[in-house]
Every structure is written in structure tokens, then in C-alpha cells.
Amino acid sequence: MTDARFEDSREAPLNLGALDAEDLSVISALVQDSVFPASEMRWERAANRFVLLINRFRWEEGPARVASPERVQSLLVFEGVTAVASNGIDRKDTDTVLSILSTSFEETEAPAGHVLLTLAGDGAIRLAVEALEVTLKDVTKPYQAPSKKTPQHPE
């Protein structure tokens, strides 16, 4: 007997990419209100990669999210990262839970620019990137949101 796999459920896992600001706006909407402990962010300097393991609210479920709000663990991966800066985050407190409000891109010298992850509580992470290359991939089965509530989300 084998364990159930996410791919076998009725819900399809997300696996999206963004190569421009318009694509990133879709990913930004899907990761809004995602939460993650500070210990689940990594800059893999040698690989020029910044990775977050997030607990993403499943906004794509539409009206069903109100009746049975769900989250899913996802990898949010930024490639071509040359520098990482943060503000308003106590990096020594790895138990701190952070919440993503938005993700945006500002081009500096095409195709390079900065990705800005705006966090609740006035925190922010800024990534200097050679070019915009982002992936969002669900890595677990959806689970009932522990709060059993749907976050406030402007439509």
C-alpha cells in the first residue's frame, strides 16, 4: 500500500513561474497572507537563489475558501539573486512568524532590478536580481487553516 500523493487528489498543486512584473502580480496575489517562520528563508549565495517555504492561503479556491479555508506549503523561489537586504525583521529570532502582504518588481538596469517582499508589521525583504525569475510550487497537500478563518483580502 502506498501513501496518498498530492497529485492524486482532486486539487491540482500550483506550479507557476514569473518572468515579468505582470506574471509576478499573479504570484503576489496567490502568496498574499502567506506565513512562514524566519527560519524558513534561505539565501543560497553560491547558487544565486533565495528560497522561502511558506504556508500559503489557497485563494484560488474562490467561494469555497469561506466555508473551508485551506493552506498549503509552497516553495517560493527567486533565481539570479545577487544581494539580499531586510528591514524590520529580527533575523536572530528564528521563531518569528512573518506574513507576506505583497511582492513587486522594480527594474533598475534591464533586465536587472529589485524584488520587494512587503511583510506585515512594516517588515520587508529586498532582493537584487539579475533578471526576474520566480517560481511558486505547492509541495504538500492542502490542510485546513489552523485559524479556520479566511484572511481579509481585497478583491
Side-chain angles (χ1 to χ4, degrees):
M1 178 174 235
T2 59
D3 288 338
R5 298 178 316 160
F6 184 69
E7 293 81 10
D8 296 334
S9 67
R10 69 171 174 81
E11 301 95 355
L14 289 183
N15 188 0
L16 302 174
L19 299 175
D20 61 33
E22 188 176 337
D23 293 343
L24 185 60
S25 68
V26 173
I27 289 178
S28 179
L30 289 166
V31 302
Q32 182 176 343
D33 299 310
S34 293
V35 293
F36 63 97
S39 61
E40 293 297 345
M41 61 179 165
R42 300 238 190 311
W43 182 24
E44 299 170 358
R45 190 180 309 236
N48 288 353
R49 181 180 302 124
F50 185 79
V51 181
L52 295 170
L53 178 62
I54 60 176
N55 296 291
R56 183 178 71 76
F57 190 83
R58 296 189 67 227
W59 290 113
E60 68 274 19
E61 286 302 298
R65 70 179 180 237
V66 174
S68 180
E70 293 181 334
R71 289 192 177 268
V72 62
Q73 282 198 316
S74 306
L75 286 172
L76 183 58
V77 181
F78 301 87
E79 301 289 350
V81 177
T82 58
V84 176
S86 63
N87 186 34
I89 300 171
D90 183 355
R91 296 176 57 96
K92 293 177 185 169
D93 184 0
T94 57
D95 292 330
T96 297
V97 175
L98 305 169
S99 178
I100 299 174
L101 295 178
S102 66
T103 306
S104 59
F105 178 70
E106 181 180 309
E107 198 170 70
T108 53
E109 291 183 37
H114 294 117
V115 173
L116 182 64
L117 294 157
T118 303
L119 307 173
D122 297 325
I125 301 168
R126 188 180 76 184
L127 310 174
V129 296
E130 298 168 332
L132 187 61
E133 185 178 351
V134 183
T135 57
L136 173 65
K137 182 177 184 177
D138 292 345
V139 294
T140 66
K141 282 185 148 184
Y143 59 91
Q144 185 175 35
S147 67
K148 298 184 174 112
K149 294 181 181 172
T150 300
Q152 294 292 325
H153 186 62
E155 294 297 327

